[in-house]
């Protein structure tokens, strides 16, 4: 296994839920199979070090890459954090050996155009543009793009363009329906991300 650490701006500096919050374990963080096993294996170690796992994916690029995104509860993640957590995760995976073949570990912060995987991500980034993909189509559509309006009653709220309406309409999507969600890179998002990292 080869381990690399990367960093990019993400998150904010507000206090958030503890690492035992069930909202920090969702279907968007880790899919069933190897990603889910990895997540369950590394989550306690990450929590002990003060980090939350944002997403785990396996099989990217050449099919042998394990990608782990993490951040502190306040949304920050600097280069040293990535390096520290990468070393701890590498040592743990070497011992537990959950992947039988050779693979590359990439541990990073979520980035500016970050994936949204937990209810608090949708709350934290309200007002910014988001792209959603649903597991099943709604009125023939699986992909939606619009301004994030937050998270209420287990629904992701997005103001989208809807045929037949002159103004964007706020639509609610059941969280369990969402298969993928990420912020859309633009100048406002870049400025806000840097501000929340204390670099604005």
């Amino acid at each position: 296994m080869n381990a690399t650490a990367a960093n990019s701006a993400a998150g904010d500096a507000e206090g958030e839920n503890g690492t035992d919050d069930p909202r920090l374990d969702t279907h968007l963080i880790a899919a069933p199979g190897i990603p889910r096993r990895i997540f369950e294996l590394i989550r306690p170690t990450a929590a002990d070090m003060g980090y939350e796992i944002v997403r785990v994916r396996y099989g990217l690029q050449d099919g042998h890459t394990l990608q782990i995104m993490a951040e502190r509860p306040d949304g920050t993640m600097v280069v040293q954090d990535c390096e520290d957590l990468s070393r701890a995760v590498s040592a743990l995976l070497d011992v537990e050996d959950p992947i039988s073949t050779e693979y590359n570990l990439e541990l990073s912060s979520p980035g500016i155009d970050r994936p949204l995987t937990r209810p608090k991500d949708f709350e934290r980034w309200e007002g910014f543009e988001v792209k959603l993909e649903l597991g099943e189509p709604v009125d023939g559509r699986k992909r939606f793009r619009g301004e994030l309006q937050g998270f209420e009653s287990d629904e992701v709220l997005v103001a989208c363009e809807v045929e037949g309406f002159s103004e964007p309409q706020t639509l609610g999507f059941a969280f369990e329906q969402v298969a993928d969600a990420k912020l859309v890179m633009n100048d406002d998002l870049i400025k806000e991300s840097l501000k929340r990292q204390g670099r604005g």
Side-chain angles (χ1 to χ4, degrees):
M1 175 182 65
N2 299 315
T4 60
N7 177 70
S8 48
D12 62 11
E14 32 180 274
E16 283 296 338
N17 305 310
T19 53
D20 60 345
D21 190 327
R23 301 197 330 160
L24 300 180
D25 181 356
T26 76
H27 67 289
L28 294 176
I29 294 177
I34 289 178
R36 172 54 54 173
R37 292 200 297 273
I38 297 293
F39 171 65
E40 292 174 348
L41 181 64
I42 67 176
R43 185 185 181 195
T45 296
D48 288 344
M49 296 176 66
Y51 303 106
E52 295 174 358
I53 303 301
V54 175
R55 191 175 71 184
V56 178
R57 284 188 172 178
Y58 176 67
L60 304 176
Q61 299 173 16
D62 57 2
H64 301 287
T65 296
L66 172 62
Q67 182 193 72
I68 299 173
M69 293 183 179
E71 64 186 5
R72 293 191 176 276
D74 66 1
T76 59
M77 192 74 171
V78 299
V79 173
Q80 189 62 53
D81 290 325
C82 291
E83 294 174 348
D84 292 345
L85 185 56
S86 181
R87 282 194 293 270
V89 167
S90 295
L92 180 61
L93 296 182
D94 283 344
V95 171
E96 298 294 338
D97 197 25
I99 302 175
S100 58
T101 59
E102 286 291 319
Y103 63 95
N104 297 316
L105 170 64
E106 293 183 356
L107 196 147
S108 70
S109 71
I112 294 177
D113 55 341
R114 58 174 297 142
L116 306 176
T117 61
R118 303 159 298 178
K120 74 174 187 176
D121 296 331
F122 295 94
E123 297 167 345
R124 194 179 254 174
W125 293 98
E126 181 177 348
F128 291 89
E129 192 172 7
V130 65
K131 291 193 293 187
L132 293 183
E133 182 170 347
L134 306 180
E136 298 292 336
V138 172
D139 293 334
R141 291 178 61 184
K142 292 181 68 174
R143 294 181 176 85
F144 294 82
R145 178 170 177 160
E147 183 179 301
L148 185 58
Q149 301 294 300
F151 188 91
E152 294 181 9
S153 303
D154 290 326
E155 286 191 335
V156 176
L157 306 179
V158 183
C160 303
E161 297 292 338
V162 177
E163 187 176 354
F165 294 87
S166 59
E167 299 291 333
Q169 302 296 301
T170 298
L171 306 179
F173 303 98
F175 183 65
E176 291 301 319
Q177 283 186 299
V178 179
D180 189 61
K182 66 178 297 184
L183 294 175
V184 176
M185 180 82 78
N186 56 39
D187 289 343
D188 288 341
L189 178 62
I190 293 172
K191 290 176 184 177
E192 183 64 18
S193 296
L194 293 177
K195 177 182 176 182
R196 295 185 186 191
Q197 286 283 343
R199 294 183 290 171

